[in-house]
Amino acid sequence: MRERGVLFVCGGKGGKALTVKVNITSLGCAKNRVDTEVMLGLLRDAGYEITHREEDAHVLIVNTCGFILPAKEESINTILELVRFKESGKCQALLVAGCLSQGYSDDLAKELPEVDGFLGPGEVPKVASIVANVLQGKKTIQVGQPDFLYDHTMPRVLSTPFHYAYVKVADGCDNRCGFCMIPNLRGPFRSREEDSVFQEVQSLTERGIQEILLIAQDTTRYGLDRYGDFRLPQLIRRLAPIDGLKWLRLMYCYPAHFTPELIEAMAAEPKVCRYVDLPLQHADDELLRSMNRRSSVAEIRQLVKDLRANLPGMAIRSSFIVGLPGETEEKFQRLLDFLEEMRFDRVGVFTYSREEDTPAGRHLDQVPDEVKEERFHRAMTLQQAISRSIQQEWVGRTIPVLVEEEVSPGLYRGRSEREAPEVDGFIEFKGKDLMSGQWAKVKITSADDYDLMGEEINEPG
């Protein structure tokens, strides 16, 4: 028999109780990571033991990403890699969770008979009972509506370093961009209650978290569905005074919902990082309209101007897609010209991935793969030179740095407010007797395309 997270192995004069160990591999974005952390918390509270070692786990779970083809391929490859632990390890059950399950569970069940169960994003609260079912030999597919939205009352086991954490203020998306499957996989946009977000952030800072990253599929839309207006400015003003909070960082900010009130709130609160993640996707108006994006190039240009005017020194990160259906050489050149004009601090460039059940996927004017690759390299080469130039401007300055780790004796790696964890570069510097989560004043001595180098400045007294 099995009871909560305990496995009873019968033999001899009675049953021997073994704690079932569970490991979760989290793929994809930070929003997915939060779901993983909630599942870990629910499993822990159900009596399961969490292990970081795949080879020690009785149950392996992969929380997958299904956003674009490379993410799907990574998810499939990870599943196949973990199958070996069922063949030559302690693993008794393998589960697939997340977006890939939501979109493709029936097909995956046929193609991957080694997988014991599938659960979609909407089934996160049921993860403990699903694990219990598959341990009893019951093949399980639970993929309903992706309408789950966690709150501050749910348990979480943080998988980030102890000094920063992600807080998801909403889930789902209503934008229906022409290239994107997310609304199908994550459901409609739905905001958390403001009080719930506040209480979660307060609880995290009481545990020693210093940096909170606010995330959603569309962070700037926060509150519109629940309160009838954009409430991110109000949320920022409420969170900023929380004791222990040092940095508040905004990620995944849809440009059309970036209001003047939000810029004003960011400028008024010193704890808000002079940093924003602003996915723009392209710089040709015709392509933006075909993608169902709601901002013109002129409006984007004005938004960037307003951000820089009100938040001097702000680092702007953006992402762009090359090889979209209908992207001619002329339209691509407009993107290159825009990148050169705007001089974004950090840019991610992605080749268009054709997704079924999307307007862009049905478009007849697809760009050949070799052209996509060539444009990707041209855009990245340009941005690399821009980034190198911007990085050099920081040489000679002294800035506060949050220590991430000691990479070798006397050499540390950290971040300023201009670098978000996991997606941006680092600041490597010489220092002494520092630990993860501490702060250092660092004088920048050199720079490369993405990282800065420096040395700790110890001020007297």
Side-chain angles (χ1 to χ4, degrees):
M1 65 177 178
R2 291 176 177 85
E3 187 176 276
R4 302 186 78 227
V6 178
L7 172 66
F8 288 87
V9 181
C10 296
K13 295 182 178 180
K16 181 181 179 182
L18 297 174
T19 301
V20 178
K21 296 181 179 180
V22 181
N23 170 275
I24 303 184
T25 299
S26 191
L27 304 175
C29 65
K31 286 92 71 178
N32 220 33
R33 181 193 280 256
V34 173
D35 286 352
T36 293
E37 293 174 345
V38 172
M39 285 193 286
L40 288 170
L42 292 166
L43 290 164
R44 178 201 59 195
D45 286 5
Y48 294 93
E49 180 181 336
I50 307 303
T51 177
H52 299 292
R53 291 168 53 88
E54 294 164 345
E55 59 268 31
D56 290 341
H58 301 103
V59 179
L60 291 168
I61 302 174
V62 186
N63 194 14
T64 59
C65 177
F67 178 43
I68 56 177
L69 181 59
K72 296 174 189 174
E73 291 174 344
E74 181 188 20
S75 295
I76 295 295
N77 290 336
T78 301
I79 295 166
L80 294 174
E81 288 172 9
L82 293 179
V83 165
R84 63 189 175 94
F85 291 106
K86 291 189 70 177
E87 300 166 348
S88 60
K90 298 179 180 178
C91 180
Q92 300 174 28
L94 174 59
L95 280 166
V96 175
C99 291
L100 202 66
S101 285
Q102 184 66 35
Y104 308 96
S105 58
D106 290 339
D107 292 337
L108 291 172
K110 296 174 184 176
E111 297 294 328
L112 298 169
E114 303 92 343
V115 175
D116 301 285
F118 296 88
L119 63 151
E123 315 305 314
V124 166
K126 303 174 185 176
V127 64
S129 62
I130 292 172
V131 167
N133 284 340
V134 296
L135 283 173
Q136 292 171 7
K138 301 175 183 177
K139 289 275 187 175
T140 301
I141 297 179
Q142 286 200 221
V143 180
Q145 292 298 315
D147 54 5
F148 168 67
L149 184 64
Y150 88 109
D151 63 26
H152 67 286
T153 66
M154 301 199 76
R156 277 179 71 183
V157 174
L158 296 182
S159 58
T160 51
F162 68 87
H163 51 274
Y164 73 85
Y166 296 99
V167 170
K168 188 156 53 169
V169 300
D171 210 333
C173 188
D174 287 345
N175 291 322
R176 293 285 173 182
C177 295
F179 57 87
C180 185
M181 285 278 291
I182 291 299
N184 298 338
L185 302 176
R186 285 283 178 176
F189 186 84
R190 52 206 184 276
S191 301
R192 290 174 58 187
E193 291 185 357
E194 186 180 304
D195 285 347
S196 176
V197 177
F198 175 83
Q199 291 186 58
E200 183 181 17
V201 172
Q202 189 171 53
S203 174
L204 288 168
T205 57
E206 288 171 356
R207 294 165 56 182
I209 298 295
Q210 301 179 67
E211 178 182 6
I212 294 293
L213 296 96
L214 299 182
I215 60 173
Q217 305 295 339
D218 178 357
T219 306
T220 41
R221 193 186 186 96
Y222 171 73
L224 185 62
D225 58 311
R226 182 178 288 273
Y227 301 109
D229 60 354
F230 296 113
R231 292 289 281 267
L232 190 56
Q234 179 174 318
L235 181 65
I236 287 172
R237 293 189 179 97
R238 189 169 178 192
L239 297 179
I242 292 177
D243 289 339
L245 179 63
K246 304 295 185 184
W247 282 347
L248 189 63
R249 190 181 299 274
L250 305 185
M251 306 293 291
Y252 309 106
C253 295
Y254 189 80
H257 304 146
F258 217 115
T259 63
E261 292 76 17
L262 177 55
I263 297 176
E264 180 182 339
M266 294 175 68
E269 298 294 348
K271 290 183 181 180
V272 176
C273 292
R274 275 20 183 186
Y275 176 102
V276 70
D277 173 38
L278 193 70
L280 297 176
Q281 311 305 3
H282 214 279
D284 176 82
D285 279 328
E286 186 176 343
L287 284 179
L288 289 171
R289 286 192 296 271
S290 74
M291 286 190 283
N292 197 34
R293 302 288 287 183
R294 292 171 175 80
S295 298
S296 67
V297 176
E299 289 168 335
I300 291 169
R301 188 178 281 112
Q302 185 61 51
L303 172 59
V304 173
K305 181 180 178 180
D306 291 344
L307 285 166
R308 287 173 169 163
N310 288 276
L311 296 150
M314 159 172 272
I316 300 179
R317 174 181 180 83
S318 192
S319 57
F320 296 90
I321 303 172
V322 298
L324 286 154
E327 184 190 61
T328 62
E329 179 62 27
E330 182 182 13
K331 296 178 191 299
F332 173 66
Q333 186 59 50
R334 288 197 186 101
L335 172 58
L336 295 184
D337 293 342
F338 184 76
L339 289 174
E340 197 157 18
E341 175 193 356
M342 292 292 100
R343 289 177 55 82
F344 294 113
D345 300 83
R346 319 197 192 286
V347 166
V349 178
F350 302 89
T351 56
Y352 167 71
S353 174
R354 189 175 189 177
E355 302 299 319
E356 63 269 34
D357 297 326
T358 63
R362 294 188 289 270
H363 202 293
L364 297 179
D365 195 8
Q366 299 290 322
V367 175
D369 288 345
E370 60 271 19
V371 176
K372 295 180 192 176
E373 284 297 315
E374 187 263 346
R375 290 176 181 173
F376 166 81
H377 290 293
R378 285 166 62 191
M380 285 303 298
T381 298
L382 172 61
Q383 179 57 36
Q384 192 173 19
I386 293 169
S387 177
R388 185 186 310 122
S389 173
I390 294 172
Q391 292 281 88
Q392 291 293 334
E393 295 173 3
W394 287 85
V395 175
R397 302 190 193 186
T398 298
I399 54 178
V401 171
L402 179 59
V403 179
E404 292 283 359
E405 60 180 338
E406 186 175 16
V407 293
S408 63
L411 183 64
Y412 297 87
R413 181 174 288 166
R415 296 180 290 108
S416 74
E417 65 178 327
R418 292 172 52 82
E419 292 91 26
E422 303 180 41
V423 294
D424 295 327
F426 288 99
I427 299 172
E428 287 198 349
F429 65 97
K430 297 176 183 177
K432 185 178 180 181
D433 299 328
L434 294 169
M435 297 178 62
S436 175
Q438 289 186 325
W439 295 81
K441 284 191 173 181
V442 176
K443 182 176 181 179
I444 304 303
T445 56
S446 62
D448 63 19
D449 296 344
Y450 303 110
D451 299 323
L452 297 172
M453 282 64 72
E455 55 187 24
E456 183 186 13
I457 302 298
N458 291 307
E459 297 180 345

